[in-house]
Amino acid sequence: MATNTMQQVLSVPDAIESRHSIRKFVEDPIPKEDLNQIFELVRLAPSAWNLQPWRFHVVTDTNLKEKLKEASYGQQQVTSAPAVVLVISDMEDVLENLPKTVHPGLSPERQQEEVANLSSFFGSMSVEERGQWGLTQTNIALGVLLVTIQGLGYASVPMLGFDQEKVKNILGLDEHVKFAAMVPFGIADQEGYPHHRFEIEKIVKYH
Ligand SMILES: Cc1cc2nc3c(=O)[nH]c(=O)nc-3n(C[C@H](O)[C@H](O)[C@H](O)COP(=O)(O)O)c2cc1C
């Protein structure tokens, strides 16, 4: 496990427990090394058939962040954060690269068979249907991202309160991509709200 350049690494329970949405950050830029460490971990998230439809656009440019804030109805956390990650799902890119997603440990025949099965399965769906399917997988990576950011000593806020068409234009994203979230993150400069959640009896049933 690599070490964080700035902060102590938290245990998984501590990262989950201490995570709160943070909307004010200190200005310090995030070292490239820490960004790399975050995405090295997040890319290990699981997905059905290991298709990994998630793609991450990391915005640190001040002008671009201003534009993203405007597209986010003026939400201040977008420019307060030193980095803003757009977590998107791109199933069309997945389908164009199917041979790369098949496990190299399989025989060439099995690999071809897998590619053919996946092509046929997703080929029978519309772009919109498979886009929505990909989003269910990409949300797994979003959860892993939030915990990873927290675990490495940073803080974040997941957001969907933005105009998706505007953000696609700002970043030059293809029309078919789906957004899991915009995630401003950095070192926290405020405390979040206390946790407010359903009781465990409401959400967990044992059978
Ligand atoms: C998918 C998603 C979208 C969200 N969109 C916004 C948003 O646009 N703006 C915002 O300030 N918070 C947003 N939030 C943060 C939630 O309000 C917050 O996670 C929730 O109230 C629980 O608080 P906590 O994150 O501090 O535990 C969003 C959270 C999620 C998971």
Side-chain angles (χ1 to χ4, degrees):
M1 165 82 189
T3 53
N4 184 288
T5 56
M6 298 174 72
Q7 306 281 319
Q8 202 183 346
V9 175
L10 301 183
S11 69
V12 172
D14 285 348
I16 293 171
E17 174 70 30
S18 65
R19 191 208 58 77
H20 298 265
S21 287
I22 294 299
R23 298 174 178 88
K24 189 163 182 272
F25 301 89
V26 301
E27 273 180 27
D28 304 2
I30 296 163
K32 196 68 198 288
E33 202 178 318
D34 288 10
L35 287 170
N36 284 341
Q37 191 182 358
I38 287 168
F39 292 109
E40 283 288 352
L41 292 168
V42 171
R43 77 196 180 98
L44 300 179
S47 55
W49 288 304
N50 202 22
L51 291 186
Q52 310 160 64
W54 42 75
R55 304 289 182 266
F56 305 95
H57 290 255
V58 184
V59 180
T60 55
D61 178 84
T62 308
N63 290 334
L64 280 178
K65 283 194 290 182
E66 278 295 340
K67 289 182 182 168
L68 290 178
K69 179 168 84 172
E70 193 272 319
S72 308
Y73 316 108
Q75 295 195 67
Q76 300 291 332
Q77 60 266 28
V78 179
T79 46
S80 173
V84 178
V85 184
L86 274 301
V87 183
I88 64 165
S89 187
D90 191 344
M91 275 302 287
E92 299 314 296
D93 190 48
V94 166
L95 292 187
E96 281 168 27
N97 292 283
L98 275 181
K100 288 187 195 154
T101 72
V102 177
H103 202 286
L106 294 176
S107 69
E109 294 74 28
R110 282 283 295 118
Q111 289 188 32
Q112 273 184 6
E113 207 180 310
E114 280 285 296
V115 170
N117 286 343
L118 290 166
S119 291
S120 146
F121 182 74
F122 288 105
S124 69
M125 292 184 183
S126 67
V127 171
E128 176 60 23
E129 281 169 340
R130 59 190 182 230
Q132 289 298 336
W133 184 92
L135 193 52
T136 66
Q137 307 301 307
T138 299
N139 279 317
I140 298 169
L142 170 62
V144 173
L145 174 69
L146 299 178
V147 174
T148 301
I149 286 172
Q150 191 73 25
L152 294 181
Y154 293 100
S156 68
V157 51
M159 294 171 52
L160 269 179
F162 58 90
D163 183 319
Q164 302 201 354
E165 289 309 310
K166 279 190 183 168
V167 173
K168 281 180 193 170
N169 283 333
I170 292 165
L171 296 181
L173 302 174
D174 289 335
E175 182 52 37
H176 63 258
V177 304
K178 301 286 179 194
F179 289 97
M182 181 187 297
V183 183
F185 84 99
I187 304 276
D189 196 24
Q190 64 175 186
E191 283 184 20
Y193 295 108
H195 291 306
H196 172 60
R197 295 294 192 270
F198 290 131
E199 296 297 321
I200 200 158
E201 294 76 17
K202 164 96 180 130
I203 60 165
V204 182
K205 297 278 183 267
Y206 292 97
H207 299 275

